[in-house]
Amino acid sequence: MNDQAKKKQINAIKGTKDILPDEIWKWQKLETEARLVFERYGYREIRTPVFEATELFIKGTGSTTDIVTKEMYTFVDKGGRSITLRPEYTPSVVRSIIENRLNLQPQPLRFYFIGPMFRYDKPQKGRYRQFHQIDIEVFGEKDPAIDAEIVEMAKNLLTRMGVTDTDVLVNSVGCQTCRPGYREKLKQKAEESRSRLCPDCQRKIGTNPLRIFDCKVEACKEISIEFPKITDFLCPECDEHFKQFCKYLDAFDISYSIEPSLVRGLDYYTKTTFEFSSRSLGAQDAVLGGGRYDDMMKEFGGPDICGTGFAVGVERLLSIVSVEENQQEWLYLIYLGDEAKSAAMEVARFLRENGVKCLVEYRERSLRNQLSRANKLNAAWVLIIGEDEVKKGTFQLKNMKTAHQDTVTKEEILKHIRRTN
RNA sequence: GUGAGUGUAGCUCAACUGGUUAGAGCACUGGACUGUGGAUCCAGAGGUUGGGGGUUCGAGACCCCUCACUCACCCCA
């Protein structure tokens, strides 16, 4: 290695980051809460590989979506197969259900999943190249009550994480019978006002007219207010489904607003779409998003089973959670001298066997120094073992908060610690 | 992919319109203080000022290139 190469530090890949010990507790807390909440609603965990055949996402996510056309991590493996790191989760579950014949189990099927996703986006606030999602999916339940139930479940999870200031947006994007007609109508209207729209929106007329509703330019906002809304163009079936969905949301006492521009960037959504957004997140304000995808399974050549679900953006959610770390109390073992060292190791073994978290540091230092260290590391207790203690078979147990100190035997340590817990 | 902003010690920031050896606070290590922590004081360690080139007697500062980070567009969790 030459000098230049030595200097070049190797860093984490752009758009990825380390989750350090000081913050991992938030992740663990969220994962624990998610499992607890989901299992209460009858969901079971499923895990699928991080990479899949590229074709799966082209077919499932949609060949015209941004995700597929420009954001996938795709490579050819040594066997010449085209492989893609999953950019989203739903196609993997659908694949797994078909492949494992899970549809033969009693429906609806309820699954949840926690894991990393990969998208080659340009990183910014709330957007990473490796990011994590917590997903839930339900297959084989057409009733809009289930859509409302998952929204309620989502809200439940957020509340448990101390996040209560989110806005719930809902919409229906219709189905294959009503959406094409609406799209044409919208295009037509937008075309009529083309000259008054910003250049960006003029382009959207051709590519994604629904996105015009999202434009931040005042003029565009005013103009798009008069554009036709999808909710006025739903076919009777979709219309009824959406009305029922809203009715059940009311029954769950969830406040929401109907947002006609909420279309989600994925091609496969039908009927229900929803999103939880937070004002404290910046431009990427969606903490959680989801909806119904009734046609996906069928299009994969699988059974005609409808689906609905949502995904939580873990990094986004964690950036706005307000929960306290629940720190475990632990004991720092101080020894003075060689004999005491062996005794300390023996006591530590005894304590750990009895479920006490304790730390012995192998450094020959003064008592003062070790106490100072225990204090810095935020130990709740200190056990001091010196020559006297070794002779007598008792130890000095000190509570670091109260500075109170007792002379105790090995067995008594357990009682003292439990008493104050 | 497009655009803007920012790069000085582990962290937060100084260093006048370009002028000695780039400083401070916090954090870190040790000592004052030999079996009792948090305080105080002293000392130490820590930097090719992101990297490269240029202008200049002289660049952390000015110019160009590059890299990284951040934010926004786009899109999404």
Side-chain angles (χ1 to χ4, degrees), chain A residues 308-417:
Chain A
T308 187
F310 65 74
V312 184
V314 174
E315 284 83 355
R316 288 183 191 177
L317 176 56
L318 291 183
S319 73
I320 56 169
V321 301
S322 53
V323 286
E324 291 292 311
E325 182 174 9
N326 188 1
Q327 272 192 337
Q328 201 186 342
E329 293 202 323
W330 60 282
L331 183 145
Y332 187 102
L333 243 148
I334 295 176
Y335 63 84
L336 299 157
D338 265 352
E339 267 180 69
K341 182 176 184 178
S342 311
M345 291 168 79
E346 155 59 20
V347 173
R349 189 181 61 82
F350 169 79
L351 290 175
R352 288 168 183 148
E353 265 173 9
N354 285 283
V356 177
K357 177 177 168 186
C358 64
L359 182 64
V360 187
E361 289 195 299
Y362 302 102
R363 34 157 60 191
E364 290 299 328
R365 295 285 165 79
S366 67
L367 178 60
R368 171 186 297 280
N369 188 301
Q370 294 194 68
L371 269 168
S372 164
R373 173 112 177 126
N375 186 51
K376 251 173 229 161
L377 295 177
N378 205 19
W381 305 88
V382 160
L383 191 73
I384 301 164
I385 308 179
E387 284 172 29
D388 291 353
E389 285 77 13
V390 173
K391 274 181 211 144
K392 291 178 191 156
T394 59
F395 313 99
Q396 300 298 315
L397 179 65
K398 179 165 188 165
N399 181 319
M400 291 296 278
K401 246 182 222 144
T402 63
H404 183 262
Q405 194 164 313
D406 282 310
T407 304
V408 295
T409 64
K410 196 165 72 172
E411 287 74 15
E412 282 169 344
I413 298 170
L414 301 174
K415 286 181 211 150
H416 275 260
I417 288 180

Side-chain angles (χ1 to χ4, degrees), chain A residues 135-147:
Chain A
D135 274 78
I136 70 101
E137 317 276 351
V138 183
F139 293 92
E141 181 57 81
K142 277 184 283 191
D143 196 314
I146 194 71
D147 296 348

Side-chain angles (χ1 to χ4, degrees), chain A residues 3 18 43 62 64 78 101 113 128 131 154 182-183 250 256 283 286 311 341 374 389 409-410 417 419:
Chain A
D3 282 355
D18 301 317
Y43 288 74
T64 60
K78 291 184 182 181
R101 306 284 187 273
F113 160 87
Y128 308 96
F131 62 102
Y182 166 69
R183 216 183 137 88
D250 292 335
Y256 58 90
K341 182 176 184 178
E389 285 77 13
T409 64
K410 196 165 72 172
I417 288 180
R419 202 202 304 159

